[in-house]
Amino acid sequence: MRPNRILLSHGAGGKMTHELIEELFLEAFENEVLRALEDSALLTASGSRVAFTTDSYVVKPLFFPGGDIGRLSVCGTVNDLAMLGARPLGLSASFILEEGFPIEDLKRVIASMREAATEAGVGIVAGDTKVVEQGAAEGLYITTSGVGIVPDGVRIRGDGARPGDLVIVSGPIGDHEIAVLLARGDFSIEGEVRSDCAPLNGLVEEMLRTSLRIHALRDPTRGGLATVLWELAQASGVGIVIEEDSIPMREEVKGVCELLGYDPYYLANEGKLVAILPEEEAPRVLEAMRSHPLGREAAVIGEVREEPKGRVLLKTRIGGHRLLEPLSGEQLPRIC
Amino acid sequence: MRPNRILLSHGAGGKMTHELIEELFLEAFENEVLRALEDSALLTASGSRVAFTTDSYVVKPLFFPGGDIGRLSVCGTVNDLAMLGARPLGLSASFILEEGFPIEDLKRVIASMREAATEAGVGIVAGDTKVVEQGAAEGLYITTSGVGIVPDGVRIRGDGARPGDLVIVSGPIGDHEIAVLLARGDFSIEGEVRSDCAPLNGLVEEMLRTSLRIHALRDPTRGGLATVLWELAQASGVGIVIEEDSIPMREEVKGVCELLGYDPYYLANEGKLVAILPEEEAPRVLEAMRSHPLGREAAVIGEVREEPKGRVLLKTRIGGHRLLEPLSGEQLPRIC
């Protein structure tokens, strides 16, 4: 039976988020653009393809190693545009502030947004500020939206994966979620893990300069690598098989996962992408990625097959196969 | 001295909101598009002018006579696009939900968003959902963003008011804020006032079909008629004089204002616009407005003069002049 109230897992980016979107939003807002369920919507304006995306950020704590809610909100939106191959044209930022929030903290967040926007080469061109009473928010929530232009010749879509394609990840997974987890201080674990939070549009441009035949791109944020691959397998009607041994992961992240029982394939990333592309394009694209600061540790982690359709298999170190379902329930709430 | 913490009045849309925007956001995000402080940012994409806007909605209560947070969020964003003369191309909606929020209420809000979007003739093409723990939000906050196209020949800007222009308002002011106020039930006043919450893009299209010489458009939301006229007077470097007797207002709204000491010129509206245009265009535009359901009670309320520059004067019934400053402090928090 479906719950009749909102649960934390409705916001985790996994199974229940999908159900909520399918049953409430898609049904009510019925339109093909939304139905595509891409990271950005694709609109047409006098002949050019305009990408358009939005995300709210409620990360807790607001400041964490490697970033803060401001940096996160800019990178997340730039990355959603980049996952369609779009060049960012402008961002908006809307703030919900809690009465009593320190102006100094707001200044820090804003400075960090500016820095991230500068890295991405985009301006924050529109904004809004609302204030709610003390206790009606936790410090600060930010919603960023973005508009971008998809260059001619680029056709990257979630349903673009084809049997025979290879799967590339741009670097070690799990850093963001583990950094946020440790920053909460709920566990007496000291860690050196920093969030990977970064704007990926430069990396994507580098990739597209090398090959226009990239079939699909996704950034594995909420729900992690497993959920994103599942989404791609579902949308494209293919099977995806990845190899445990080839997936880059920091020793510290592995360690925390083992200690606390987290599954690294479901950990959120904020500066990583998954690319699916024809095998023959892979060597050149991989080389281009590795020459970019955000893709130095890029690796081929698996391949696309005919079967099992709509499923993701993980070949384990000891030779077994594990089915990677989309995230159900949540690992850790409020990671972005 | 400036406060070092966020106050409710920072979100009221008046003086303190302006200071916050000037001192924090404009300085950090420095760019000409944002600096224009229009209701929407104006971007250029392969020759066409793209309007882009965002707003967060934290209205309390979520449901009120004449609308709810969903309808409000769609209309508000459509209206910000329309105030540049833009036709809406697509909207996004991002939800921050409180754990425990009833799914039935969410369904009502979504249905109402769909209805408003249909009225405006635009699709909700992108979205996001985040969930925060019980107590970390009040039910539901929505942030909507919108992208629109400004048709060729249209040039409506906040700095477009010229001495000799007339000032038109599209109908009676204050309905939205009074409807929300009464819906809170803090006062033992029964009222028949319904929010005016409506998408104004159809009305604006009608006006532009009649005349392309509309100089400025604004929707008097937070801060009300007085603050919006002050913004226009500041941006255009002109004086604006309006006549108390000519400003349409419902008797019920007047009554509540007198009873509770609210100043109607600072009350928020969500389905009204202020237009500034050359005197010779006014009769035709007014006729076009009155033939549209949302402009039936449109009226000329004043004129633009050389002096006093950057100021708004109200000619009172008894023949005096009152200076209308931008809203300082807040009248009522969380009206949108």
Side-chain angles (χ1 to χ4, degrees), chain A residues 5 56 100 130 136 141 145 334, chain B residues 56 94 100 130 133 136 141 145:
Chain A
R5 291 187 176 271
S56 288
K130 293 284 154 62
Y141 302 142
S145 302
R334 297 181 59 187
Chain B
S56 288
S94 195
K130 293 283 153 63
E133 301 86 353
Y141 302 144
S145 302

Side-chain angles (χ1 to χ4, degrees), chain A residues 98-257:
Chain A
E98 184 186 11
E99 185 189 10
F101 187 69
I103 301 268
E104 277 311 308
D105 285 356
L106 181 57
K107 281 189 183 164
R108 265 179 80 190
V109 168
I110 290 174
S112 149
M113 293 180 82
R114 176 183 49 190
E115 196 183 289
T118 305
E119 281 170 48
V122 64
I124 296 170
V125 297
D128 184 40
T129 309
K130 293 284 154 62
V131 180
V132 295
E133 302 86 353
Q134 215 149 20
E138 274 185 351
L140 164 68
Y141 302 142
I142 302 178
T143 302
T144 42
S145 302
V147 178
I149 300 292
V150 183
D152 289 340
V154 173
R155 201 197 127 77
I156 301 172
R157 298 296 294 265
D159 60 3
R162 296 287 167 268
D165 285 353
L166 293 185
V167 182
I168 291 178
V169 69
S170 63
I173 62 166
D175 295 4
H176 175 70
E177 187 153 345
I178 295 298
V180 170
L181 173 77
L182 297 182
R184 289 202 193 158
D186 296 340
F187 305 100
S188 55
I189 304 173
E190 299 276 324
E192 289 297 300
V193 185
R194 294 169 65 79
S195 166
D196 56 346
C197 189
L200 292 167
N201 57 319
L203 176 63
V204 171
E205 274 194 42
E206 215 48 67
M207 294 166 69
L208 287 171
R209 236 194 298 277
T210 311
S211 169
L212 283 175
R213 292 179 61 210
I214 293 165
H215 287 160
L217 286 178
R218 281 281 161 101
D219 56 336
T221 55
R222 283 185 299 177
L225 183 65
T227 306
V228 154
L229 290 177
W230 176 82
E231 287 170 2
L232 292 173
Q234 290 277 319
S236 302
V238 296
I240 294 179
V241 182
I242 56 172
E243 293 197 35
E244 189 171 22
D245 263 343
S246 60
I247 300 167
M249 207 183 310
R250 295 188 201 289
E251 283 309 317
E252 297 90 326
V253 170
K254 264 186 214 165
V256 175
C257 282

Side-chain angles (χ1 to χ4, degrees), chain B residues 226-238:
Chain B
T227 306
V228 153
L229 290 178
W230 176 83
E231 287 170 3
L232 292 173
Q234 290 276 322
S236 302
V238 296

Side-chain angles (χ1 to χ4, degrees), chain B residues 69-89:
Chain B
I69 189 171
R71 180 170 179 82
L72 195 60
S73 68
V74 168
C75 296
T77 289
V78 166
N79 292 351
D80 278 346
L81 293 175
M83 294 309 112
L84 285 191
R87 293 199 185 114
L89 188 63

